[in-house]
Amino acid sequence: MNKKDLLHFKEKLEKEKVLLEEELSTISRINPDNPNDHEAMTSDIDVDPADENEVADKMEELEENKAILKQLEPQLNEVKAALRRIEDGTYGTCEISGKPIEKDRLEANPSARTSIQNMKG
């Protein structure tokens, strides 16, 4: 892969990383014990524990945020891993076959780790 392509994919990945981090910051906080882990949270509005409806709403919000987090956090980790592969010179190489990943696949999914022929599932 040439330097122009690498720069293009690095820019795409960095933009995606920023978007994912912004989205995650609205529904979670970084685990102080593990900076690569996020914990779902709710908005900071105080809830009266005696009001069952408010408590139920907060619990529902927390469950929704956990579901969103379950999707976004792995996606963010894949983007970070792809950026590391750019830095170490292995970006765009299929982890299974060792052959170059198709450029159109990387356009569709810049954090792809395998070629189309070696996609799982």
Side-chain angles (χ1 to χ4, degrees):
M1 183 171 298
N2 65 44
K3 287 184 181 185
K4 183 180 175 187
D5 288 341
L6 278 176
L7 182 60
H8 167 74
F9 289 118
K10 184 175 182 178
E11 288 174 0
K12 283 185 78 152
L13 288 161
E14 287 174 343
K15 286 179 185 176
E16 185 176 355
K17 180 177 177 256
V18 167
L19 291 172
L20 289 166
E21 288 173 338
E22 287 173 357
E23 181 70 22
L24 282 166
S25 74
T26 65
I27 62 158
S28 67
R29 70 181 182 97
I30 295 176
N31 178 343
D33 297 325
N34 181 356
N36 291 319
D37 183 39
H38 289 78
E39 299 172 334
M41 63 179 194
T42 61
S43 54
D44 291 335
I45 300 171
D46 287 329
V47 175
D48 178 3
D51 186 336
E52 291 180 12
N53 288 330
E54 283 186 29
V55 171
D57 287 346
K58 280 295 173 184
M59 293 303 293
E60 184 178 342
E61 179 185 357
L62 182 61
E63 289 306 312
E64 288 173 3
N65 288 350
K66 283 181 181 179
I68 295 168
L69 177 63
K70 193 174 182 178
Q71 284 184 304
L72 295 182
E73 189 174 38
Q75 192 175 350
L76 176 61
N77 289 334
E78 286 294 321
V79 168
K80 288 179 177 179
L83 287 167
R84 284 191 299 273
R85 289 192 301 275
I86 287 174
E87 295 304 315
D88 70 19
T90 61
Y91 181 79
T93 301
C94 178
E95 292 181 357
I96 296 172
S97 69
K99 295 179 182 174
I101 297 173
E102 301 83 359
K103 198 170 181 180
D104 56 342
R105 172 147 167 75
L106 292 173
E107 280 296 336
N109 179 8
S111 59
R113 299 174 357 192
T114 59
S115 65
I116 291 173
Q117 292 83 12
N118 292 303
M119 285 177 50
K120 295 180 181 173

